[in-house]
Amino acid sequence: MPTLDDILEHVGEFDKFQKQTFFVLCLLSAAFTPVYVGVVFFGFIPEHRCFSPGVAELSQRCGWSLEEQLNHTVPEWGGHGASFSSRCRRYEVDWNSTGVSCTDPLGSLGGNRSTIPLGPCRHGWVYDSPGTSLVTEFNLVCEDSWKLDLFQSSVNAGFFIGSMNIGYIADRFGRKFCLITTILANVVFGILLVFVPTYLWIVIIRFFQGLVSKGCWTTGYILATEVVGPKYRRTVGILYQMAFSIGLLVFDAIAYAISHWRWLQFTVTLPSSFFLLYYWCLPESPRWLISQGKNDKAMKIVSNMAKTNQKKMPSHFVDIKFEEDDGGKQSPSFFDLVRTPQMRRNTFILMYNWFTSSVLYQGLIMHMGVAAGNMYLDFLYSALVEFPAAFIIIITIDRIGRRYPWAVANTVAGLACLVTALIPEAVLGLIAGGLVLLLPETKGRVLPETVEDVENFHRQSAPKAKKIYLHVQTSEVADD
């Protein structure tokens, strides 16, 4: 009995209908960028030092340049970057005292750099930045620098919880329903971030934004791959990720033009509201409809697909009963991921690899511009290198397979971190590269649809796709 893939061979596997759907979903992928890596610009840490009352007046009276002022009044200021003391400590002196010398102010106050005690920044900080960020607005520096990490951790916690729950919602209620609801929630939380006045509420709302946004991006990926034929799924998946890379370039340009984080947040969130129009221009996944026993609705979408692609669907496919219906309506559960040995092994390996990829990627992103470089150029370079990486994947995935390029990529990433900074993420990358080799190769094989298919996947000696192809050809000859 033919499947949806057999019908797509006649009505178009990647023609006008699929290209339109794919294009609008790529816009969604690009718009996910500010949520995933927004901390680079929202939480930018400019050079800073303690604000000391009286320093500005003394500097004006003495006619100091900015460099002279810093050398005289900031601890451990050497002109070659800042240290913890220069950023987070101040001299415990009264700069408003009378008789302070312009040539040796500390000496005239009864001490020198080594004897005058240092204290915390009681009066706030001075930031060398024309714009604003979470850091400058809420003083997330020195003893409170951990709060910036908490800001990013909150969205990552949302990613973790949302990926599991929203995936279930997409399987239970449909891809389109999940996509529209998460888009709406993402817009609402994104706008709320612009107006909430306290750091605590920003962290809470950021968590909820992460809760829905990662699931939204993943649902878009699933829908994009489920409306195309098998030959195009891998290319569509890679290009969907490349749309995210294009979003990085656009986000970098917008952040360069808008240096105030609340206006930047508003600017990158508002266009996402137009994605609500997807309710009228995006189809439901016919594969999901078939899995739920909704053949009539699935065939209506397939008929519209054939019409848009200017293809004629064969008459013997019009009233077809899909073989997916034979097993009845599927009821997925989280337990299916760990219920059987092969599924359990694959699940844990994939979870670890996603964890490692996120740690490596966001670890590099979080350190953007730290090495006294231009943050916008650093971000631009990091986005541009993703394009040749995607090209390499496209040309190797069908020639070599999935496992080896993935394993090599993880190993190279780990070695690069090891060579450049000797950071702990390197070990994660090396382990991930080895674990990928334990996964089954999917090159040239029909992907499993059920848990039982996963368990038997490693036992298949010949590609199932070829068997189906030969069977269909034989049937057509017999009909003739």
Side-chain angles (χ1 to χ4, degrees):
M1 186 173 294
T3 64
L4 179 63
D5 290 336
D6 298 325
I7 297 180
L8 290 179
E9 290 182 3
H10 293 81
V11 302
E13 294 187 80
F14 192 61
D15 287 332
K16 184 178 180 181
F17 181 92
Q18 288 90 346
K19 290 176 182 177
Q20 290 176 346
T21 302
F22 177 63
F23 174 75
V24 296
L25 288 173
C26 281
L27 297 178
L28 182 71
S29 178
F32 175 62
T33 302
V35 180
Y36 194 66
V37 297
V39 66
V40 175
F41 301 113
F42 298 145
F44 170 59
I45 307 175
E47 281 297 336
H48 53 278
R49 58 188 180 276
C50 294
F51 174 76
S52 299
V55 166
E57 292 78 1
L58 178 62
S59 178
Q60 184 177 7
R61 177 172 66 83
C62 294
W64 290 337
S65 65
L66 177 59
E67 188 63 27
E68 289 174 325
Q69 174 187 321
L70 296 177
N71 284 328
H72 286 310
T73 61
V74 177
E76 297 184 13
W77 184 268
H80 300 288
S83 63
F84 174 81
S85 294
S86 64
R87 288 173 172 150
C88 304
R89 292 293 179 264
R90 58 181 289 272
Y91 289 119
E92 293 285 6
V93 297
D94 184 6
W95 297 106
N96 290 314
S97 300
T98 58
V100 178
S101 170
C102 290
T103 57
D104 186 16
L106 293 177
S108 64
L109 290 170
N112 54 50
R113 291 181 182 273
S114 60
T115 59
I116 292 181
L118 303 180
C121 302
R122 296 189 180 90
H123 303 285
W125 285 263
V126 177
Y127 297 97
D128 296 333
S129 173
T132 62
S133 69
L134 281 164
V135 172
T136 62
E137 182 171 335
F138 298 104
N139 290 325
L140 307 184
V141 292
C142 300
E143 285 80 4
D144 286 334
S145 60
W146 60 272
K147 292 183 179 179
L148 181 60
D149 296 328
L150 180 62
F151 170 78
Q152 185 63 14
S153 296
S154 65
V155 73
N156 286 333
F159 289 162
F160 175 71
I161 299 174
S163 296
M164 296 187 296
N165 292 280
I166 292 181
Y168 175 79
I169 293 173
D171 286 340
R172 180 68 177 82
F173 300 102
R175 290 28 171 156
K176 186 175 179 178
F177 171 82
C178 182
L179 195 68
I180 298 301
T181 53
T182 51
I183 287 173
L184 176 61
N186 187 47
V187 171
V188 170
F189 292 131
I191 296 298
L192 285 176
L193 277 175
V194 178
F195 298 104
V196 289
T198 64
Y199 166 80
L200 177 60
W201 275 109
I202 286 177
V203 171
I204 293 173
I205 293 174
R206 186 70 170 171
F207 166 78
F208 284 111
Q209 191 178 34
L211 197 68
V212 297
S213 58
K214 186 61 177 288
C216 178
W217 186 89
T218 305
T219 304
Y221 175 88
I222 294 171
L223 184 56
T225 55
E226 287 186 341
V227 296
V228 301
K231 293 189 299 184
Y232 296 93
R233 283 179 201 154
R234 51 189 173 274
T235 304
V236 164
I238 296 170
L239 293 179
Y240 185 80
Q241 177 64 41
M242 284 186 66
F244 174 84
S245 302
I246 295 175
L248 292 175
L249 300 178
V250 176
F251 184 43
D252 187 41
I254 296 174
Y256 181 78
I258 303 175
S259 57
H260 297 276
W261 82 270
R262 289 188 185 270
W263 281 110
L264 176 60
Q265 172 67 31
F266 181 78
T267 303
V268 298
T269 300
L270 190 61
S272 297
S273 61
F274 291 101
F275 294 147
L276 294 172
L277 298 175
Y278 286 4
Y279 178 82
W280 291 277
C281 63
L282 271 185
E284 179 57 271
S285 168
R287 297 181 192 277
W288 178 81
L289 291 171
I290 293 170
S291 71
Q292 301 300 302
K294 300 178 180 180
N295 269 1
D296 293 339
K297 292 183 178 180
M299 289 307 301
K300 184 177 180 181
I301 293 175
V302 172
S303 298
N304 185 35
M305 189 182 300
K307 181 179 179 182
T308 303
N309 293 340
Q310 297 182 347
K311 300 287 182 68
K312 185 175 181 180
M313 187 163 60
S315 58
H316 59 278
F317 282 154
V318 175
D319 297 319
I320 198 170
K321 177 181 173 62
F322 291 101
E323 61 182 15
E324 285 89 341
D325 287 344
D326 296 340
K329 184 177 178 179
Q330 299 180 12
S331 300
S333 69
F334 291 118
F335 183 69
D336 290 337
L337 295 175
V338 295
R339 181 165 53 87
T340 57
Q342 294 294 327
M343 193 72 174
R344 183 165 54 248
R345 186 191 68 170
N346 295 346
T347 295
F348 287 139
I349 292 176
L350 290 171
M351 287 176 63
Y352 179 79
N353 270 271
W354 273 110
F355 165 77
T356 301
S357 298
S358 298
V359 169
L360 287 170
Y361 190 84
Q362 292 205 14
L364 295 172
I365 287 293
M366 289 286 285
H367 288 82
M368 195 72 66
V370 180
N374 185 305
M375 176 179 61
Y376 302 101
L377 285 179
D378 290 347
F379 194 90
L380 174 65
Y381 299 148
S382 69
L384 289 176
V385 298
E386 296 191 13
F387 292 95
F391 177 74
I392 291 173
I393 294 173
I394 290 176
I395 64 176
T396 59
I397 196 169
D398 284 333
R399 292 170 173 82
I400 303 176
R402 278 67 165 164
R403 291 191 305 170
Y404 293 113
W406 192 4
V408 170
N410 279 330
T411 304
V412 170
L415 289 174
C417 291
L418 190 64
V419 171
T420 56
L422 295 176
I423 57 178
E425 289 90 333
V427 179
L428 298 177
L430 296 175
I431 296 175
L435 289 177
V436 168
L437 298 176
L438 300 178
L439 293 171
E441 179 56 68
T442 59
K443 177 178 178 289
R445 304 174 71 180
V446 175
L447 296 180
E449 298 285 346
T450 65
V451 175
E452 288 72 20
D453 290 342
V454 173
E455 290 303 306
N456 297 322
F457 196 69
H458 67 288
R459 302 190 185 100
Q460 297 176 6
S461 58
K464 184 179 177 183
K466 293 183 179 179
K467 293 181 179 179
I468 292 179
Y469 176 77
L470 293 173
H471 174 71
V472 172
Q473 290 291 97
T474 303
S475 299
E476 290 177 355
V477 172
D479 293 339
D480 292 337

